[in-house]
Amino acid sequence: MSETFMFDELGYPKFRITSESKPGDLYFTFNADSVVAWEDDKKPVEFEKYLIGTIKWDSCSHLYFGIDSDNDGYVHMCGVGDFQDHIALLKFLYELAFERMGQKPQDGEEWS
């Protein structure tokens, strides 16, 4: 299993991305958990499920938000900062998926 973090502008881990996908797979399946608590040294210590999904070689994807036993598809966004973080996470995941698959998006499917 791989583990990658997306950091905010202050260097705090904002999201933890874990995946069982292997380099060279034609898809990238992931769990993205939001970090909700840190130790003084910015080490993440508490997480909440945020997004589960798969991004495939052809840029098609399946995304499931906030999946847990109580909130099937619910994600709480509180202010413009959360919307910006959400967009930044989607971009991060898209680019990470193609990096892990070891290929580039098809023509016209690049993140611009």
Side-chain angles (χ1 to χ4, degrees):
M1 176 185 300
S2 66
E3 180 179 71
T4 304
F5 287 92
M6 186 184 110
F7 295 89
D8 68 13
E9 64 279 352
L10 299 176
Y12 282 89
K14 186 71 180 172
F15 293 98
R16 174 182 66 182
I17 295 90
T18 56
S19 176
E20 298 283 340
S21 295
K22 295 173 183 56
D25 284 350
L26 296 177
Y27 56 88
F28 177 65
T29 299
F30 61 87
N31 291 311
D33 300 317
S34 63
V35 180
V36 296
W38 306 259
E39 291 181 351
D40 291 338
D41 62 356
K42 299 182 182 179
K43 179 182 176 188
V45 294
E46 192 175 328
F47 307 91
E48 287 182 358
K49 289 190 181 296
Y50 186 82
L51 174 63
I52 297 168
T54 300
I55 300 172
K56 298 181 347 186
W57 65 273
D58 60 359
S59 297
C60 290
S61 55
H62 305 272
L63 304 173
Y64 303 92
F65 295 91
I67 303 300
D68 64 23
S69 60
D70 298 323
N71 298 312
D72 187 16
Y74 170 82
V75 173
H76 177 81
M77 291 192 201
C78 190
V80 71
D82 284 352
F83 280 87
Q84 291 168 335
D85 289 344
H86 180 77
I87 293 165
L89 173 64
L90 293 177
K91 179 181 188 291
F92 185 84
L93 288 167
Y94 192 81
E95 292 172 345
L96 181 63
F98 284 93
E99 177 185 310
R100 292 283 172 84
M101 288 185 281
Q103 57 183 321
K104 296 183 182 203
Q106 294 178 323
D107 289 342
E109 295 296 331
E110 304 88 355
W111 194 284
S112 55

